[in-house]
Amino acid sequence: MSSNQKKVMLSAIQPSSQLTIGNYIGALRNWVKLQENYDCIFFAVNLHAITVRQDPKMLLEQTYRAIATYLAAGIHPEDAAVFIQSQVPEHTELAWILTCNSYMGELNRMTQFKDKSAKQGANIPAGLFTYPVLMASDILLYDTELVPIGHDQKQHVELTRDIAIRMNNTYGKDLFKVPEVYIPPVGARIMSLQDPTAKMSKSDPDVSSAIYLTDTDDQIRKKLKRAVTDSGTEITDDDTKPGIRNLLAIQSSLTGKSIPELVLSYAGKQYGHLKLETAEIVVQAVAPIRNRADELMSDRAYLDSVLQRGAEKARVRAQRTLKRVYDRMGLVSPQGRA
Ligand code: TYM
């Protein structure tokens, strides 16, 4: 199938820190698995990352590292458009138009805004509040049909659908394609290794709570050895053992074995076994990605050529959508009237 007959799949990750195995299992890995059957668009959302203060040098480095990690994990840059959000200014342009068609009430209901703004003290950046609208713009610019994400982004895609449907009702029914989510059956919510009731997050100040895709084999082993579990001994998959459940989910998604199958294989074994074996499975998954990303990071010219090509492909498509939106809304577009 040629790429223009395939449906569009799009997703992105914030380079606000190094990527974690939560990002890999919940999202990136599924992009790689599904990419053959879709016309793919993957980018690093540096404009999302600045909703909280970033060190400019680190942000730049992490942005390139995110792109290198996409490629190292197996994204094909010859087929997919791979770029950095700020290289395609149409994302922010459409975001304004969508902001004018979004409601304070619906943005106020976003649980991620509630969580993140609670950590900001008195001065909450307005960008944290309008951030889901920029994400809607990312998605709607490309007539996206499928958005592969982890569980925590579901609410934002639902908002995207609401905005798209609302604007289709107002400005003509085929203005925007209404996207669907893909959420993996296992691993959509990998939990913190230090508090298995909270999501593993790349911005957690406690670096032992997350496994980063840049961690060394030793760091991975140490973090999993110290992963918080409960005081029991039996390895079962139930609500009272969120730490054990998390390790089982990590193993299950990386090996393809089902959780009941894993539980059965651990009958009579100790928590220590589970931690040790999970660590080896994670090392096997992370090491090749880390090593390949290291190599790619030392070839900035190659990364820039991929990004340049990806951004050019994306811009042509984004401008086409924006022109449609300007025309329908009675706005004079940069290209002039229709
Ligand atoms: P971000 O950068 O927080 O996370 C990137 C992807 O990783 C998933 N994820 C997880 N999955 C399982 N367990 C976890 N602990 C875990 N932590 C993160 C997220 O669900 C996500 O799929 N706003 C988005 C980025 C974004 C985007 C987009 C995504 C911007 N524009 C357009 C899709 C389409 C974000 O902050 O993801």
Side-chain angles (χ1 to χ4, degrees):
M1 229 192 288
S2 77
S3 70
N4 55 11
Q5 289 172 308
K6 291 179 178 173
K7 292 180 174 178
V8 176
M9 172 166 79
L10 171 148
S11 202
I13 300 181
Q14 286 197 49
S16 47
S17 166
Q18 301 299 351
L19 272 50
T20 70
I21 53 158
N23 300 132
Y24 179 62
I25 292 173
L28 179 53
R29 202 162 157 273
N30 305 314
W31 310 356
V32 176
K33 279 199 204 160
L34 298 168
Q35 68 179 332
E36 299 299 341
N37 298 321
Y38 288 88
D39 173 11
C40 297
I41 302 180
F42 300 121
F43 45 108
V45 285
N46 54 350
L47 297 171
H48 276 92
I50 60 164
T51 51
V52 297
R53 188 73 56 83
Q54 300 290 336
D55 173 77
K57 248 176 126 171
M58 283 187 33
L59 177 62
L60 189 61
E61 189 67 13
Q62 285 158 194
T63 305
Y64 273 93
R65 183 82 198 189
I67 297 295
T69 305
Y70 294 180
L71 304 186
I75 294 299
H76 299 145
E78 317 78 42
D79 302 325
V82 176
F83 60 95
I84 296 167
Q85 190 182 29
S86 59
Q87 291 181 297
V88 182
E90 287 75 13
H91 287 243
T92 40
E93 219 179 318
L94 180 62
W96 171 251
I97 294 174
L98 302 186
T99 303
C100 297
N101 286 277
S102 308
Y103 301 137
M104 304 281 284
E106 61 191 354
L107 294 178
N108 238 331
R109 283 197 294 275
M110 295 294 117
T111 51
Q112 210 170 58
F113 169 69
K114 288 183 202 162
D115 294 347
K116 290 197 174 179
S117 58
K119 294 179 190 144
Q120 293 296 314
N123 293 320
I124 300 165
L128 259 190
F129 186 65
T130 53
Y131 148 124
V133 184
L134 180 57
M135 179 161 161
S137 167
D138 295 341
I139 297 169
L140 298 179
L141 258 185
Y142 300 99
D143 296 329
T144 304
E145 299 209 28
L146 193 69
V147 186
I149 44 169
H151 185 266
D152 62 331
Q153 294 299 322
K154 187 164 173 260
Q155 198 185 26
H156 293 157
V157 180
E158 279 161 4
L159 175 77
T160 302
R161 290 171 55 88
D162 290 345
I163 296 172
I165 292 168
R166 178 179 311 142
M167 289 186 70
N168 285 352
N169 287 337
T170 313
Y171 300 108
K173 69 174 173 22
D174 53 351
L175 182 64
F176 291 125
K177 192 140 260 163
V178 181
E180 304 286 339
V181 290
Y182 173 87
I183 294 180
V186 186
R189 194 168 155 78
I190 300 298
M191 308 309 273
S192 156
L193 299 179
Q194 289 304 310
D195 173 6
T197 62
K199 187 192 71 164
M200 181 183 285
S201 162
K202 59 173 122 63
S203 47
D204 194 322
D206 178 0
V207 293
S208 62
S209 71
I211 289 174
Y212 300 96
L213 299 181
T214 44
D215 280 349
T216 63
D217 296 353
D218 270 1
Q219 283 171 321
I220 295 172
R221 291 192 179 102
K222 274 196 194 116
K223 286 181 182 180
L224 277 159
K225 199 169 170 190
R226 291 189 201 134
V228 170
T229 48
D230 58 276
S231 56
T233 51
E234 213 189 333
I235 296 168
T236 55
D237 176 41
D238 64 73
D239 291 345
T240 60
K241 298 185 174 182
I244 296 297
R245 172 171 271 179
N246 194 34
L247 299 184
L248 289 169
I250 292 172
Q251 269 209 29
S252 169
S253 47
L254 293 178
T255 61
K257 291 185 188 154
S258 72
I259 305 247
E261 199 181 331
L262 287 171
V263 169
L264 210 64
S265 73
Y266 280 107
K269 293 192 183 165
Q270 314 282 312
Y271 285 180
H273 287 115
L274 176 66
K275 289 184 176 181
L276 219 70
E277 286 174 20
T278 307
E280 291 318 307
I281 287 163
V282 173
V283 164
Q284 274 176 32
V286 171
I289 297 175
R290 179 192 63 222
N291 297 341
R292 178 72 189 128
D294 283 346
E295 280 169 24
L296 287 166
M297 284 300 278
S298 61
D299 192 352
R300 211 46 90 84
Y302 170 71
L303 288 179
D304 277 327
S305 73
V306 165
L307 291 168
Q308 186 73 27
R309 209 162 0 107
E312 275 167 17
K313 270 202 278 189
R315 281 203 81 179
V316 173
R317 298 167 67 163
Q319 281 171 0
R320 212 183 305 138
T321 309
L322 253 184
K323 172 91 171 79
R324 185 168 79 222
V325 175
Y326 272 75
D327 288 348
R328 292 275 187 95
M329 294 182 69
L331 296 163
V332 181
S333 72
Q335 300 93 331
R337 280 297 299 156

PDB file of all heavy atoms in Angstrom, residues 250-283:
ATOM      1  N   ILE A 250       5.447  -5.009  33.398  1.00  0.00           N
ATOM      2  CA  ILE A 250       6.661  -4.679  32.626  1.00  0.00           C
ATOM      3  C   ILE A 250       7.151  -5.925  31.889  1.00  0.00           C
ATOM      4  O   ILE A 250       7.407  -5.901  30.689  1.00  0.00           O
ATOM      5  CB  ILE A 250       7.767  -4.110  33.568  1.00  0.00           C
ATOM      6  CG1 ILE A 250       7.344  -2.739  34.108  1.00  0.00           C
ATOM      7  CG2 ILE A 250       9.112  -4.020  32.843  1.00  0.00           C
ATOM      8  CD1 ILE A 250       8.258  -2.159  35.184  1.00  0.00           C
ATOM      9  N   GLN A 251       7.244  -7.030  32.632  1.00  0.00           N
ATOM     10  CA  GLN A 251       7.701  -8.282  32.005  1.00  0.00           C
ATOM     11  C   GLN A 251       6.762  -8.722  30.903  1.00  0.00           C
ATOM     12  O   GLN A 251       7.193  -9.115  29.828  1.00  0.00           O
ATOM     13  CB  GLN A 251       7.733  -9.409  33.050  1.00  0.00           C
ATOM     14  CG  GLN A 251       9.033  -9.550  33.743  1.00  0.00           C
ATOM     15  CD  GLN A 251       9.280 -11.002  34.177  1.00  0.00           C
ATOM     16  OE1 GLN A 251       8.815 -11.958  33.571  1.00  0.00           O
ATOM     17  NE2 GLN A 251      10.042 -11.152  35.242  1.00  0.00           N
ATOM     18  N   SER A 252       5.473  -8.683  31.197  1.00  0.00           N
ATOM     19  CA  SER A 252       4.495  -9.163  30.228  1.00  0.00           C
ATOM     20  C   SER A 252       4.591  -8.369  28.933  1.00  0.00           C
ATOM     21  O   SER A 252       4.620  -8.942  27.837  1.00  0.00           O
ATOM     22  CB  SER A 252       3.090  -9.060  30.826  1.00  0.00           C
ATOM     23  OG  SER A 252       2.127  -9.286  29.836  1.00  0.00           O
ATOM     24  N   SER A 253       4.675  -7.040  29.041  1.00  0.00           N
ATOM     25  CA  SER A 253       4.696  -6.276  27.802  1.00  0.00           C
ATOM     26  C   SER A 253       6.007  -6.443  27.042  1.00  0.00           C
ATOM     27  O   SER A 253       6.010  -6.417  25.825  1.00  0.00           O
ATOM     28  CB  SER A 253       4.353  -4.803  28.038  1.00  0.00           C
ATOM     29  OG  SER A 253       5.067  -4.326  29.113  1.00  0.00           O
ATOM     30  N   LEU A 254       7.107  -6.670  27.753  1.00  0.00           N
ATOM     31  CA  LEU A 254       8.383  -6.823  27.039  1.00  0.00           C
ATOM     32  C   LEU A 254       8.606  -8.237  26.489  1.00  0.00           C
ATOM     33  O   LEU A 254       9.372  -8.414  25.544  1.00  0.00           O
ATOM     34  CB  LEU A 254       9.566  -6.418  27.937  1.00  0.00           C
ATOM     35  CG  LEU A 254       9.634  -4.923  28.300  1.00  0.00           C
ATOM     36  CD1 LEU A 254      10.802  -4.645  29.234  1.00  0.00           C
ATOM     37  CD2 LEU A 254       9.747  -4.040  27.050  1.00  0.00           C
ATOM     38  N   THR A 255       7.949  -9.230  27.074  1.00  0.00           N
ATOM     39  CA  THR A 255       8.175 -10.607  26.602  1.00  0.00           C
ATOM     40  C   THR A 255       7.010 -11.146  25.767  1.00  0.00           C
ATOM     41  O   THR A 255       7.161 -12.149  25.073  1.00  0.00           O
ATOM     42  CB  THR A 255       8.347 -11.588  27.787  1.00  0.00           C
ATOM     43  OG1 THR A 255       7.125 -11.561  28.552  1.00  0.00           O
ATOM     44  CG2 THR A 255       9.527 -11.220  28.673  1.00  0.00           C
ATOM     45  N   GLY A 256       5.846 -10.524  25.898  1.00  0.00           N
ATOM     46  CA  GLY A 256       4.672 -11.033  25.183  1.00  0.00           C
ATOM     47  C   GLY A 256       3.987 -12.171  25.948  1.00  0.00           C
ATOM     48  O   GLY A 256       2.966 -12.680  25.519  1.00  0.00           O
ATOM     49  N   LYS A 257       4.554 -12.564  27.110  1.00  0.00           N
ATOM     50  CA  LYS A 257       3.882 -13.602  27.916  1.00  0.00           C
ATOM     51  C   LYS A 257       2.723 -12.967  28.665  1.00  0.00           C
ATOM     52  O   LYS A 257       2.847 -11.823  29.123  1.00  0.00           O
ATOM     53  CB  LYS A 257       4.862 -14.205  28.930  1.00  0.00           C
ATOM     54  CG  LYS A 257       5.948 -15.039  28.291  1.00  0.00           C
ATOM     55  CD  LYS A 257       6.801 -15.703  29.366  1.00  0.00           C
ATOM     56  CE  LYS A 257       7.995 -16.381  28.736  1.00  0.00           C
ATOM     57  NZ  LYS A 257       9.139 -16.494  29.660  1.00  0.00           N
ATOM     58  N   SER A 258       1.627 -13.720  28.840  1.00  0.00           N
ATOM     59  CA  SER A 258       0.482 -13.127  29.544  1.00  0.00           C
ATOM     60  C   SER A 258       0.770 -13.078  31.046  1.00  0.00           C
ATOM     61  O   SER A 258       1.622 -13.823  31.562  1.00  0.00           O
ATOM     62  CB  SER A 258      -0.784 -13.948  29.284  1.00  0.00           C
ATOM     63  OG  SER A 258      -0.686 -15.171  29.982  1.00  0.00           O
ATOM     64  N   ILE A 259       0.041 -12.219  31.761  1.00  0.00           N
ATOM     65  CA  ILE A 259       0.231 -12.100  33.215  1.00  0.00           C
ATOM     66  C   ILE A 259      -0.082 -13.432  33.921  1.00  0.00           C
ATOM     67  O   ILE A 259       0.733 -13.890  34.740  1.00  0.00           O
ATOM     68  CB  ILE A 259      -0.605 -10.925  33.790  1.00  0.00           C
ATOM     69  CG1 ILE A 259      -0.261  -9.640  33.042  1.00  0.00           C
ATOM     70  CG2 ILE A 259      -0.509 -10.853  35.307  1.00  0.00           C
ATOM     71  CD1 ILE A 259       0.430  -8.553  33.763  1.00  0.00           C
ATOM     72  N   PRO A 260      -1.221 -14.110  33.614  1.00  0.00           N
ATOM     73  CA  PRO A 260      -1.479 -15.397  34.290  1.00  0.00           C
ATOM     74  C   PRO A 260      -0.356 -16.411  34.050  1.00  0.00           C
ATOM     75  O   PRO A 260       0.034 -17.157  34.954  1.00  0.00           O
ATOM     76  CB  PRO A 260      -2.794 -15.882  33.662  1.00  0.00           C
ATOM     77  CG  PRO A 260      -3.436 -14.667  33.086  1.00  0.00           C
ATOM     78  CD  PRO A 260      -2.352 -13.698  32.747  1.00  0.00           C
ATOM     79  N   GLU A 261       0.184 -16.404  32.833  1.00  0.00           N
ATOM     80  CA  GLU A 261       1.287 -17.308  32.505  1.00  0.00           C
ATOM     81  C   GLU A 261       2.504 -16.996  33.391  1.00  0.00           C
ATOM     82  O   GLU A 261       3.146 -17.901  33.942  1.00  0.00           O
ATOM     83  CB  GLU A 261       1.637 -17.054  31.036  1.00  0.00           C
ATOM     84  CG  GLU A 261       2.427 -18.117  30.310  1.00  0.00           C
ATOM     85  CD  GLU A 261       2.710 -17.661  28.850  1.00  0.00           C
ATOM     86  OE1 GLU A 261       1.905 -16.894  28.272  1.00  0.00           O
ATOM     87  OE2 GLU A 261       3.753 -18.047  28.319  1.00  0.00           O
ATOM     88  N   LEU A 262       2.788 -15.715  33.556  1.00  0.00           N
ATOM     89  CA  LEU A 262       3.931 -15.317  34.385  1.00  0.00           C
ATOM     90  C   LEU A 262       3.697 -15.697  35.845  1.00  0.00           C
ATOM     91  O   LEU A 262       4.587 -16.236  36.506  1.00  0.00           O
ATOM     92  CB  LEU A 262       4.171 -13.804  34.278  1.00  0.00           C
ATOM     93  CG  LEU A 262       4.785 -13.311  32.960  1.00  0.00           C
ATOM     94  CD1 LEU A 262       4.764 -11.787  32.893  1.00  0.00           C
ATOM     95  CD2 LEU A 262       6.217 -13.819  32.826  1.00  0.00           C
ATOM     96  N   VAL A 263       2.474 -15.423  36.337  1.00  0.00           N
ATOM     97  CA  VAL A 263       2.154 -15.733  37.739  1.00  0.00           C
ATOM     98  C   VAL A 263       2.380 -17.227  37.987  1.00  0.00           C
ATOM     99  O   VAL A 263       2.994 -17.625  38.987  1.00  0.00           O
ATOM    100  CB  VAL A 263       0.706 -15.310  38.077  1.00  0.00           C
ATOM    101  CG1 VAL A 263       0.266 -15.871  39.420  1.00  0.00           C
ATOM    102  CG2 VAL A 263       0.572 -13.788  38.073  1.00  0.00           C
ATOM    103  N   LEU A 264       1.932 -18.030  37.046  1.00  0.00           N
ATOM    104  CA  LEU A 264       2.092 -19.484  37.162  1.00  0.00           C
ATOM    105  C   LEU A 264       3.574 -19.859  37.219  1.00  0.00           C
ATOM    106  O   LEU A 264       3.988 -20.690  38.037  1.00  0.00           O
ATOM    107  CB  LEU A 264       1.428 -20.141  35.941  1.00  0.00           C
ATOM    108  CG  LEU A 264       0.845 -21.526  36.149  1.00  0.00           C
ATOM    109  CD1 LEU A 264      -0.304 -21.466  37.164  1.00  0.00           C
ATOM    110  CD2 LEU A 264       0.305 -22.064  34.799  1.00  0.00           C
ATOM    111  N   SER A 265       4.371 -19.206  36.394  1.00  0.00           N
ATOM    112  CA  SER A 265       5.797 -19.556  36.342  1.00  0.00           C
ATOM    113  C   SER A 265       6.541 -19.119  37.610  1.00  0.00           C
ATOM    114  O   SER A 265       7.641 -19.577  37.880  1.00  0.00           O
ATOM    115  CB  SER A 265       6.452 -18.964  35.096  1.00  0.00           C
ATOM    116  OG  SER A 265       6.604 -17.569  35.258  1.00  0.00           O
ATOM    117  N   TYR A 266       5.924 -18.212  38.385  1.00  0.00           N
ATOM    118  CA  TYR A 266       6.566 -17.764  39.632  1.00  0.00           C
ATOM    119  C   TYR A 266       6.003 -18.457  40.878  1.00  0.00           C
ATOM    120  O   TYR A 266       6.308 -18.063  41.992  1.00  0.00           O
ATOM    121  CB  TYR A 266       6.443 -16.245  39.784  1.00  0.00           C
ATOM    122  CG  TYR A 266       7.476 -15.515  38.940  1.00  0.00           C
ATOM    123  CD1 TYR A 266       7.101 -14.839  37.792  1.00  0.00           C
ATOM    124  CD2 TYR A 266       8.819 -15.544  39.291  1.00  0.00           C
ATOM    125  CE1 TYR A 266       8.036 -14.204  36.998  1.00  0.00           C
ATOM    126  CE2 TYR A 266       9.761 -14.921  38.504  1.00  0.00           C
ATOM    127  CZ  TYR A 266       9.372 -14.247  37.359  1.00  0.00           C
ATOM    128  OH  TYR A 266      10.309 -13.638  36.582  1.00  0.00           O
ATOM    129  N   ALA A 267       5.177 -19.480  40.671  1.00  0.00           N
ATOM    130  CA  ALA A 267       4.602 -20.182  41.830  1.00  0.00           C
ATOM    131  C   ALA A 267       5.744 -20.725  42.690  1.00  0.00           C
ATOM    132  O   ALA A 267       6.682 -21.346  42.176  1.00  0.00           O
ATOM    133  CB  ALA A 267       3.704 -21.315  41.343  1.00  0.00           C
ATOM    134  N   GLY A 268       5.682 -20.425  43.985  1.00  0.00           N
ATOM    135  CA  GLY A 268       6.693 -20.936  44.914  1.00  0.00           C
ATOM    136  C   GLY A 268       7.994 -20.136  44.910  1.00  0.00           C
ATOM    137  O   GLY A 268       8.904 -20.427  45.682  1.00  0.00           O
ATOM    138  N   LYS A 269       8.102 -19.126  44.026  1.00  0.00           N
ATOM    139  CA  LYS A 269       9.338 -18.324  44.001  1.00  0.00           C
ATOM    140  C   LYS A 269       9.181 -17.042  44.812  1.00  0.00           C
ATOM    141  O   LYS A 269       8.083 -16.642  45.154  1.00  0.00           O
ATOM    142  CB  LYS A 269       9.712 -17.999  42.551  1.00  0.00           C
ATOM    143  CG  LYS A 269      10.113 -19.232  41.751  1.00  0.00           C
ATOM    144  CD  LYS A 269      10.748 -18.831  40.445  1.00  0.00           C
ATOM    145  CE  LYS A 269      11.093 -20.050  39.608  1.00  0.00           C
ATOM    146  NZ  LYS A 269      11.384 -19.673  38.223  1.00  0.00           N
ATOM    147  N   GLN A 270      10.305 -16.411  45.099  1.00  0.00           N
ATOM    148  CA  GLN A 270      10.319 -15.202  45.950  1.00  0.00           C
ATOM    149  C   GLN A 270      10.244 -13.926  45.108  1.00  0.00           C
ATOM    150  O   GLN A 270      10.548 -13.955  43.925  1.00  0.00           O
ATOM    151  CB  GLN A 270      11.638 -15.136  46.729  1.00  0.00           C
ATOM    152  CG  GLN A 270      12.077 -16.398  47.390  1.00  0.00           C
ATOM    153  CD  GLN A 270      11.314 -16.629  48.660  1.00  0.00           C
ATOM    154  OE1 GLN A 270      11.196 -15.722  49.475  1.00  0.00           O
ATOM    155  NE2 GLN A 270      10.775 -17.828  48.825  1.00  0.00           N
ATOM    156  N   TYR A 271       9.942 -12.812  45.805  1.00  0.00           N
ATOM    157  CA  TYR A 271       9.941 -11.499  45.143  1.00  0.00           C
ATOM    158  C   TYR A 271      11.291 -11.226  44.475  1.00  0.00           C
ATOM    159  O   TYR A 271      11.368 -10.629  43.412  1.00  0.00           O
ATOM    160  CB  TYR A 271       9.667 -10.374  46.149  1.00  0.00           C
ATOM    161  CG  TYR A 271       8.234 -10.269  46.606  1.00  0.00           C
ATOM    162  CD1 TYR A 271       7.857  -9.272  47.518  1.00  0.00           C
ATOM    163  CD2 TYR A 271       7.248 -11.119  46.132  1.00  0.00           C
ATOM    164  CE1 TYR A 271       6.548  -9.141  47.945  1.00  0.00           C
ATOM    165  CE2 TYR A 271       5.933 -11.002  46.557  1.00  0.00           C
ATOM    166  CZ  TYR A 271       5.595 -10.005  47.466  1.00  0.00           C
ATOM    167  OH  TYR A 271       4.302  -9.874  47.887  1.00  0.00           O
ATOM    168  N   GLY A 272      12.356 -11.669  45.163  1.00  0.00           N
ATOM    169  CA  GLY A 272      13.714 -11.438  44.649  1.00  0.00           C
ATOM    170  C   GLY A 272      13.899 -12.001  43.239  1.00  0.00           C
ATOM    171  O   GLY A 272      14.534 -11.380  42.389  1.00  0.00           O
ATOM    172  N   HIS A 273      13.318 -13.192  43.007  1.00  0.00           N
ATOM    173  CA  HIS A 273      13.414 -13.800  41.667  1.00  0.00           C
ATOM    174  C   HIS A 273      12.772 -12.901  40.629  1.00  0.00           C
ATOM    175  O   HIS A 273      13.315 -12.670  39.553  1.00  0.00           O
ATOM    176  CB  HIS A 273      12.670 -15.150  41.630  1.00  0.00           C
ATOM    177  CG  HIS A 273      13.370 -16.240  42.348  1.00  0.00           C
ATOM    178  ND1 HIS A 273      12.856 -16.839  43.463  1.00  0.00           N
ATOM    179  CD2 HIS A 273      14.545 -16.844  42.106  1.00  0.00           C
ATOM    180  CE1 HIS A 273      13.683 -17.765  43.891  1.00  0.00           C
ATOM    181  NE2 HIS A 273      14.729 -17.788  43.088  1.00  0.00           N
ATOM    182  N   LEU A 274      11.580 -12.431  40.986  1.00  0.00           N
ATOM    183  CA  LEU A 274      10.816 -11.599  40.045  1.00  0.00           C
ATOM    184  C   LEU A 274      11.596 -10.321  39.715  1.00  0.00           C
ATOM    185  O   LEU A 274      11.691  -9.928  38.546  1.00  0.00           O
ATOM    186  CB  LEU A 274       9.447 -11.255  40.650  1.00  0.00           C
ATOM    187  CG  LEU A 274       8.573 -10.309  39.840  1.00  0.00           C
ATOM    188  CD1 LEU A 274       8.134 -10.944  38.515  1.00  0.00           C
ATOM    189  CD2 LEU A 274       7.324  -9.896  40.639  1.00  0.00           C
ATOM    190  N   LYS A 275      12.181  -9.721  40.737  1.00  0.00           N
ATOM    191  CA  LYS A 275      12.924  -8.472  40.514  1.00  0.00           C
ATOM    192  C   LYS A 275      14.136  -8.710  39.623  1.00  0.00           C
ATOM    193  O   LYS A 275      14.397  -7.950  38.683  1.00  0.00           O
ATOM    194  CB  LYS A 275      13.390  -7.888  41.851  1.00  0.00           C
ATOM    195  CG  LYS A 275      12.264  -7.315  42.682  1.00  0.00           C
ATOM    196  CD  LYS A 275      12.838  -6.683  43.931  1.00  0.00           C
ATOM    197  CE  LYS A 275      11.782  -6.013  44.756  1.00  0.00           C
ATOM    198  NZ  LYS A 275      12.350  -5.373  45.950  1.00  0.00           N
ATOM    199  N   LEU A 276      14.854  -9.791  39.944  1.00  0.00           N
ATOM    200  CA  LEU A 276      16.078 -10.105  39.197  1.00  0.00           C
ATOM    201  C   LEU A 276      15.776 -10.395  37.730  1.00  0.00           C
ATOM    202  O   LEU A 276      16.441  -9.883  36.825  1.00  0.00           O
ATOM    203  CB  LEU A 276      16.712 -11.348  39.841  1.00  0.00           C
ATOM    204  CG  LEU A 276      18.213 -11.368  39.945  1.00  0.00           C
ATOM    205  CD1 LEU A 276      18.666 -10.345  40.982  1.00  0.00           C
ATOM    206  CD2 LEU A 276      18.683 -12.774  40.371  1.00  0.00           C
ATOM    207  N   GLU A 277      14.760 -11.204  37.515  1.00  0.00           N
ATOM    208  CA  GLU A 277      14.433 -11.584  36.126  1.00  0.00           C
ATOM    209  C   GLU A 277      13.844 -10.408  35.362  1.00  0.00           C
ATOM    210  O   GLU A 277      14.128 -10.235  34.176  1.00  0.00           O
ATOM    211  CB  GLU A 277      13.503 -12.798  36.122  1.00  0.00           C
ATOM    212  CG  GLU A 277      14.291 -14.042  36.487  1.00  0.00           C
ATOM    213  CD  GLU A 277      13.431 -15.292  36.650  1.00  0.00           C
ATOM    214  OE1 GLU A 277      12.295 -15.333  36.144  1.00  0.00           O
ATOM    215  OE2 GLU A 277      13.924 -16.228  37.302  1.00  0.00           O
ATOM    216  N   THR A 278      13.063  -9.575  36.052  1.00  0.00           N
ATOM    217  CA  THR A 278      12.526  -8.378  35.377  1.00  0.00           C
ATOM    218  C   THR A 278      13.686  -7.480  34.969  1.00  0.00           C
ATOM    219  O   THR A 278      13.705  -6.945  33.854  1.00  0.00           O
ATOM    220  CB  THR A 278      11.555  -7.611  36.314  1.00  0.00           C
ATOM    221  OG1 THR A 278      10.568  -8.527  36.780  1.00  0.00           O
ATOM    222  CG2 THR A 278      10.875  -6.465  35.587  1.00  0.00           C
ATOM    223  N   ALA A 279      14.676  -7.357  35.870  1.00  0.00           N
ATOM    224  CA  ALA A 279      15.827  -6.498  35.563  1.00  0.00           C
ATOM    225  C   ALA A 279      16.524  -6.974  34.293  1.00  0.00           C
ATOM    226  O   ALA A 279      16.849  -6.174  33.414  1.00  0.00           O
ATOM    227  CB  ALA A 279      16.801  -6.484  36.739  1.00  0.00           C
ATOM    228  N   GLU A 280      16.729  -8.276  34.159  1.00  0.00           N
ATOM    229  CA  GLU A 280      17.430  -8.781  32.961  1.00  0.00           C
ATOM    230  C   GLU A 280      16.616  -8.526  31.702  1.00  0.00           C
ATOM    231  O   GLU A 280      17.171  -8.179  30.661  1.00  0.00           O
ATOM    232  CB  GLU A 280      17.755 -10.279  33.109  1.00  0.00           C
ATOM    233  CG  GLU A 280      18.819 -10.570  34.155  1.00  0.00           C
ATOM    234  CD  GLU A 280      20.008  -9.593  34.126  1.00  0.00           C
ATOM    235  OE1 GLU A 280      20.606  -9.408  33.045  1.00  0.00           O
ATOM    236  OE2 GLU A 280      20.323  -8.983  35.178  1.00  0.00           O
ATOM    237  N   ILE A 281      15.320  -8.685  31.812  1.00  0.00           N
ATOM    238  CA  ILE A 281      14.450  -8.448  30.636  1.00  0.00           C
ATOM    239  C   ILE A 281      14.487  -6.964  30.240  1.00  0.00           C
ATOM    240  O   ILE A 281      14.555  -6.613  29.063  1.00  0.00           O
ATOM    241  CB  ILE A 281      13.012  -8.934  30.952  1.00  0.00           C
ATOM    242  CG1 ILE A 281      13.005 -10.467  30.948  1.00  0.00           C
ATOM    243  CG2 ILE A 281      11.989  -8.381  29.960  1.00  0.00           C
ATOM    244  CD1 ILE A 281      11.798 -11.087  31.614  1.00  0.00           C
ATOM    245  N   VAL A 282      14.494  -6.090  31.241  1.00  0.00           N
ATOM    246  CA  VAL A 282      14.545  -4.648  30.953  1.00  0.00           C
ATOM    247  C   VAL A 282      15.909  -4.280  30.356  1.00  0.00           C
ATOM    248  O   VAL A 282      15.987  -3.524  29.383  1.00  0.00           O
ATOM    249  CB  VAL A 282      14.223  -3.817  32.222  1.00  0.00           C
ATOM    250  CG1 VAL A 282      14.442  -2.330  31.975  1.00  0.00           C
ATOM    251  CG2 VAL A 282      12.786  -4.069  32.681  1.00  0.00           C
ATOM    252  N   VAL A 283      16.981  -4.856  30.918  1.00  0.00           N
ATOM    253  CA  VAL A 283      18.329  -4.588  30.371  1.00  0.00           C
ATOM    254  C   VAL A 283      18.370  -4.988  28.895  1.00  0.00           C
ATOM    255  O   VAL A 283      18.849  -4.237  28.038  1.00  0.00           O
ATOM    256  CB  VAL A 283      19.418  -5.342  31.174  1.00  0.00           C
ATOM    257  CG1 VAL A 283      20.744  -5.398  30.414  1.00  0.00           C
ATOM    258  CG2 VAL A 283      19.618  -4.692  32.534  1.00  0.00           C
TER     259      VAL A 283
END
